[in-house]
Amino acid sequence: MIEVAAAVIQRADGAFLLAQRPAGKVYAGYWEFPGGKVEPGEPAESALARELHEELGIEIGPAYPWITRVFTYPHGTVRLQFFRVFTWKNQPHPREDQAIAWQEPGAPMATPMLPANAPVLASLALPAEYAITNAGQYGIAEMLSRLERSLAQGLKLLQVREPHLTDDDRSLFTRQVLGLAHRYGCKVLVKAPFPGADGLHLTASQLMTIHDRPQAPLVAASCHTREELERAMRLGLDFAVLGPLREMSTADKSPALGWDGFRDLACFSSIPIYAIGGLTRSDMENAWRAGAHGVAMIRGAWR
C-alpha cells in the first residue's frame, strides 16, 4: 500500500487548486489534487505540509482530515488521505515544473483527471451544512417561514424528516418544501420515495437491511456505529450522518459519541460524513477537525 496525502486547497469563492503531473512521472499530463507520498512513520498531516511547501511554496494552516480513497493502479495500490485546507501563506506557484490551475465550481473540469481523484469531485460539491426540518415542533407555517429565511441565506441541502405529522400533512408539507427549496437551488432528501425529491435519506435500520444502493440521484444514511458506516461505504452512498454527538438519540437511545468518539469512527471513511446531535453552526470548526464534512442540524438549523 502506497500512502499518499492530498490537499483540497479551497478559496473562499469555492475554487480549488489542481496540479498537472509533469513529464517523466507516471500518468504525466493528468490532473490531480496536490500532495505526495507519506514517508514511513511520518504523520500524514506533516507529509502534506512538507509536500505542499516543496511543490507549491506555501505554508498551510490547519489541514482538516476528510475522506480516504483506495485505488489500484498498474504500478501499485494507493491509499489517498484527503485533507481540506482553507488557509495558507504565500501564493501557490509551481516549483517542480508542473502546471497548476484554480478550478471554478461548475466550470468545465480540467482533463484528464487522475482516476483516483475524479470521484472526490462529487463529494466536494456537498455543502457544509445539512438542515433537517422540524415542523413537528414549530408548526408547518412557521417551519416554512424559517426555511425560506435559511434558503435566502444560502442553504443548499435539506432533509424532510417529520415523524410527528400525519401522512397527509407530511405529504402536503413535503410538496411545499420541494417547491420552495427548488426555487433557491436547494436539494431535498426525503425518507421515502417522493415525486420531485432529489434523493433518499435512510435510517440506520433501513441501511442494514438493503444489499444494493437505492436508485436515486443522492442517497444518504444515518449511522451510529462503524459497522453501519462500513455498510454505507460498501453501498457507495453519497454521504452519511454520524451521531449523536452531544445528545442521546431519542429514536434508538444511542449514547453520545463526543468528538473523540466521532473521530475514531469516522477515521479513513471513503464518503463524507456529517456530525449530528445538539450541534449549531458554531461547531463547524470542531467538526472539521474531527474529520467531518460538516454538520447536520435539526433545532440548530432554525435558530
Side-chain angles (χ1 to χ4, degrees):
M1 184 77 72
I2 303 169
E3 299 288 348
V4 173
V8 179
I9 302 172
Q10 197 163 17
R11 298 188 315 210
D13 64 0
F16 52 90
L17 191 67
L18 295 176
Q20 190 176 37
R21 295 178 67 82
K25 285 195 174 184
V26 178
Y27 283 94
Y30 279 72
W31 292 88
E32 63 179 349
F33 291 96
K37 289 183 181 179
V38 180
E39 300 296 336
E42 183 181 28
E45 294 92 332
S46 299
L48 187 70
R50 173 179 54 77
E51 289 284 347
L52 295 180
H53 176 70
E54 293 173 359
E55 293 181 10
L56 301 171
I58 62 174
E59 305 290 340
I60 62 171
Y64 300 109
W66 187 39
I67 60 177
T68 300
R69 306 285 302 188
V70 176
F71 194 88
T72 300
Y73 290 100
H75 68 282
T77 299
V78 176
R79 180 163 67 177
L80 279 154
Q81 295 184 54
F82 286 92
F83 294 81
R84 291 190 294 174
V85 175
F86 301 120
T87 59
W88 57 91
K89 294 180 181 178
N90 306 325
Q91 186 69 20
H93 62 279
R95 302 179 73 183
E96 297 182 348
D97 297 324
Q98 79 277 35
I100 63 173
W102 288 101
Q103 176 69 49
E104 302 286 345
M109 186 58 56
T111 58
M113 280 290 289
L114 204 62
N117 288 258
V120 176
L121 300 174
S123 297
L124 188 59
L126 292 169
E129 180 181 330
Y130 183 32
I132 302 168
T133 64
N134 197 13
Q137 174 179 343
Y138 295 115
I140 289 176
E142 177 62 20
M143 183 69 259
L144 291 171
S145 176
R146 292 182 183 228
L147 171 60
E148 185 160 22
R149 286 199 296 271
S150 292
L151 291 167
Q153 293 168 4
L155 179 67
K156 294 300 180 185
L157 190 61
L158 176 71
Q159 179 197 153
V160 175
R161 178 188 177 276
E162 296 297 344
H164 302 297
L165 296 183
T166 66
D167 291 345
D168 288 344
D169 284 345
R170 189 184 309 112
S171 179
L172 176 60
F173 176 70
T174 302
R175 284 198 297 273
Q176 291 173 306
V177 167
L178 286 168
L180 185 59
H182 287 170
R183 288 206 300 273
Y184 287 88
C186 175
K187 293 183 177 180
V188 181
L189 276 67
V190 293
K191 307 299 288 185
F194 195 94
D198 301 289
L200 291 173
H201 187 109
L202 307 173
T203 65
S205 58
Q206 289 173 326
L207 171 67
M208 299 306 288
T209 60
I210 62 174
H211 301 285
D212 298 294
R213 174 192 164 103
Q215 296 298 313
L218 280 175
V219 184
S222 295
C223 298
H224 313 291
T225 66
R226 183 66 191 187
E227 180 185 11
E228 291 165 355
L229 279 176
E230 293 283 356
R231 175 64 67 89
M233 288 186 267
R234 284 197 301 273
L235 291 171
L237 303 194
D238 295 286
F239 64 90
V241 173
L242 177 62
L245 206 294
R246 291 202 179 104
E247 301 174 348
M248 177 180 286
S249 170
T250 56
D252 57 13
K253 306 303 181 184
S254 298
L257 295 173
W259 288 120
D260 288 340
F262 181 96
R263 185 181 296 105
D264 290 343
L265 291 180
C267 185
F268 297 124
S269 171
S270 62
I271 61 175
I273 299 176
Y274 290 84
I276 193 171
L279 304 180
T280 67
R281 295 176 186 87
S282 64
D283 292 299
M284 193 69 75
E285 174 80 15
N286 286 332
W288 287 341
R289 289 185 182 278
H293 180 82
V295 295
M297 301 171 290
I298 302 177
R299 292 188 301 274
W302 313 116
R303 292 172 183 164

